[in-house]
Every structure is written in structure tokens, then in C-alpha cells.
Amino acid sequence: MSMIELRRLRAFVTVVEEGNITRAAERLFIQQPPLTRLLQGLEDELGVKLLQRLPRGVRATEAGNVLFNEARALLARAELLTEAVRRAARGEQGHIAIGFTSSAALHPFVPNLLRRYREILPGITTQLEEAGSGELLDALVDERLDVAFVRSPVSGIPGLTIEPVLREPMLVALPVGHRLAFDSEQPLPLLSLANEAFILYRRPAGQGLYDAILAACHRAGFSPRVIQEAPRLPATLSLVGAGLGLSIVPASMRRLGGDGIVYRAIGDEAQLSAPLYLALHSNRTSPLIQRFRALVAEAVSARHSG
């Protein structure tokens, strides 16, 4: 319906509710003659008599009563629609698809952020997808995701940008009974792993972590002997727990626990940490995505100040 039709309906509903054209005009903040013309125009448009004039007011005809009930429902719906559009423009209503790596989901930052997002924006529906960083970046490019928490820096991918969120320590995950699994309070020099069998997260899925580990080992003076690559970090830990070798994982993975695994810190000389980034489209400026981006920035700032 056009705006003038909604205006006529609103005028008609007000007149029926008041039972008096003069009082209805006062309520609508218009003069009585324009209101009368609105009502006459509505009757002419529909081709039926809607109001019965009485000595001291008006009342709806049978056809008018039908219009009155339908018009009230339509006007209420129009008000809801207007508010829904305004909420969407403020980034308070809509749908967002968020991706994250398995290790990101284990860091308190991400679940706490999602919980806060739902608390302050209950009108947003959220789709969550877990995958490797490479898969998440592909999903962003294909616009199957709006934002993603990834471990790999975006390089050479047109249309995507990243914003740093945090860096966390990395730990050595060792099978129980391994010769290095004792004295777990002391950091391990990375060079002490030179002759060990490594199990790493598969590079195509976790390029950032894989490359960071290899670079740190090379700085320490050795090339790691990788005997197995796993598709996901939890699978990596399962292989460690089975005694096949050791791995280096983000500290948040420790929250998984795992039977048969001992975690040890790595010496500071390794300069090894696991970054977490927020990846998103460079040219998408929807209020909803910008609201999420601002909430991430707020949480990062609060984390640093705390």
C-alpha cells in the first residue's frame, strides 16, 4: 500500500475508535475538513459506505467493521515492519554467519564474545561454522560467511582484510611417559625437540600455525621430522595421546584435556605464539557486520586494559 492509503486507513480507524470526527481530528492533529475528505476518498476508492452518520457522531457500517478490523491489523504490521527496517539499519536485526577454527573456539575470547553478542543483540540470528583457516577464508571469498576467526594472516586474497585479535602461547603436547614429559613446570628449549617425531596440523587447513612452527624450528637450528599430519587440531592431540609423537599447539587446546597427554611450555627464545585474527570482507559495510566488528574491537580493548 502507498503512504496515502495507509494514511486513509489510519484516519478511518481513529474515527471509528473515537466515534466522532471532531475528536478523531484532534487526535490526528489535523483539521476536520481534511479528515472528512480522507474518509470520503477511502469510501470512493472502495465503492462502499463505511460510516453511518449519527446525530452526535458516527459509527461503522457492516462493511466498515470488516475494514476496521483488517486495517488495525495491517497498521500494526506496518509499524512492526518500520521498526524492523530501522533495527536492521542499526545492525540490531538480521542474520550473520560466523566461522572459527577449532582452536579459536577453545579460547575464552571467542565464546565469551559470542555470548555477549547474543545478549546485547537478541534480534540477530547467528550461523556458526567450524573449519580450518584455509576453508574459512574460502568460505569468506564465496560469501558463505560474513566474518571468521582464523589463525592465518590473509595474504594475496583480494577483497579480504584481517584485524589482529590476540596472540596466545603455544605448548608442546607430549605423550605421557615421554622422556620430556617430566618436570612439566619448566619451559622446554625448542632445540630439545630436534630429534623428536612431530605430528602437525595439516598445512592447507592451518597454514598459519604450520608455517609458524616450522619457522621457529628453523630459527632454533633444525628442521622438524614430521611423521604425520592431521586434518584438525583435536585429531592431532588424539595421535599424541596414542603415543605416535609430539605436537606444538595453541595453549587454548589444553582445555580439551586428553588422556595420555602432558603439556609443557616452550622457552621464550623460540618466539613462538599463535595469533588469532578476525577476517572479513574489505568492501562489505553492512551495519550488522560493522556492529560485530566494533564489538570485537571493544572486547580486544577491554582485554588489553584488563
Side-chain angles (χ1 to χ4, degrees):
M1 282 193 158
S2 66
M3 291 303 294
I4 186 63
E5 288 173 328
L6 286 177
R7 185 183 177 200
R8 285 176 179 172
L9 290 177
R10 189 170 288 107
F12 172 73
V13 167
T14 304
V15 169
V16 174
E17 289 176 343
E18 293 293 338
N20 183 283
I21 292 180
T22 301
R23 290 199 301 270
E26 293 174 354
R27 181 172 152 190
L28 292 166
F29 301 103
I30 61 175
Q31 297 297 316
Q32 184 173 333
L35 176 57
T36 301
R37 288 194 294 271
L38 280 175
L39 297 172
Q40 290 173 346
L42 184 60
E43 289 182 327
D44 292 342
E45 183 176 334
L46 295 176
V48 296
K49 199 72 173 175
L50 299 172
L51 294 170
Q52 180 181 358
R53 272 67 179 178
L54 303 173
R56 293 187 178 180
V58 294
R59 69 182 176 195
T61 63
E62 186 173 347
N65 278 323
V66 172
L67 179 63
F68 174 72
N69 292 326
E70 294 293 333
R72 279 207 304 185
L74 180 60
L75 291 170
R77 178 61 182 159
E79 291 178 6
L80 291 175
L81 177 62
T82 300
E83 180 57 23
V85 171
R86 289 173 178 166
R87 285 174 60 82
R90 296 193 299 264
E92 297 174 359
Q93 186 162 324
H95 177 81
I96 187 169
I98 304 170
F100 50 84
T101 65
S102 55
S103 63
L106 287 170
H107 195 287
F109 180 90
V110 173
N112 288 344
L113 176 81
L114 295 178
R115 189 180 305 111
R116 175 66 177 155
Y117 187 62
R118 286 172 174 168
E119 286 174 355
I120 65 175
L121 296 172
I124 303 294
T125 59
T126 307
Q127 172 190 341
L128 301 177
E129 297 288 342
E130 181 182 337
S133 289
E135 296 166 300
L136 294 174
L137 294 174
D138 288 342
L140 279 171
V141 171
D142 295 339
E143 297 191 0
R144 289 180 282 115
L145 289 177
D146 297 304
V147 297
F149 291 100
V150 298
R151 293 292 190 179
S152 302
V154 176
S155 58
I157 304 180
L160 295 187
T161 187
I162 63 166
E163 296 171 356
V165 174
L166 57 85
R167 301 188 77 90
E168 63 173 313
M170 298 192 79
L171 303 175
V172 181
L174 300 150
V176 168
H178 190 282
R179 64 181 183 84
L180 297 175
F182 303 98
D183 195 17
S184 59
E185 299 301 317
Q186 293 298 317
L188 273 175
L190 193 58
L191 187 57
S192 65
L193 308 180
N195 298 318
E196 299 297 329
F198 276 72
I199 302 168
L200 294 183
Y201 186 28
R202 190 174 294 162
R203 187 179 187 277
Q207 178 180 347
L209 295 183
Y210 190 103
D211 290 351
I213 292 169
L214 263 62
C217 292
H218 290 155
R219 287 194 303 269
F222 72 98
S223 180
R225 182 166 59 93
V226 180
I227 64 164
Q228 182 75 46
E229 293 184 359
R232 293 282 185 271
L233 274 172
T236 301
L237 292 180
S238 295
L239 294 174
V240 171
L244 274 67
L246 60 80
S247 190
I248 298 177
V249 299
S252 53
M253 296 299 296
R254 192 171 193 167
R255 294 166 64 93
L256 279 179
D259 294 334
I261 300 175
V262 173
Y263 295 92
R264 290 195 61 178
I266 302 172
D268 292 339
E269 77 284 350
Q271 302 176 24
L272 187 56
S273 62
L276 184 66
Y277 304 100
L278 176 68
L280 65 163
H281 298 272
S282 305
N283 56 356
R284 290 184 64 182
T285 57
S286 78
L288 191 153
I289 294 177
Q290 292 306 314
R291 190 72 181 268
F292 184 84
R293 184 183 192 180
L295 187 62
V296 173
E298 177 185 318
V300 169
S301 178
R303 187 172 183 271
H304 288 162
S305 62

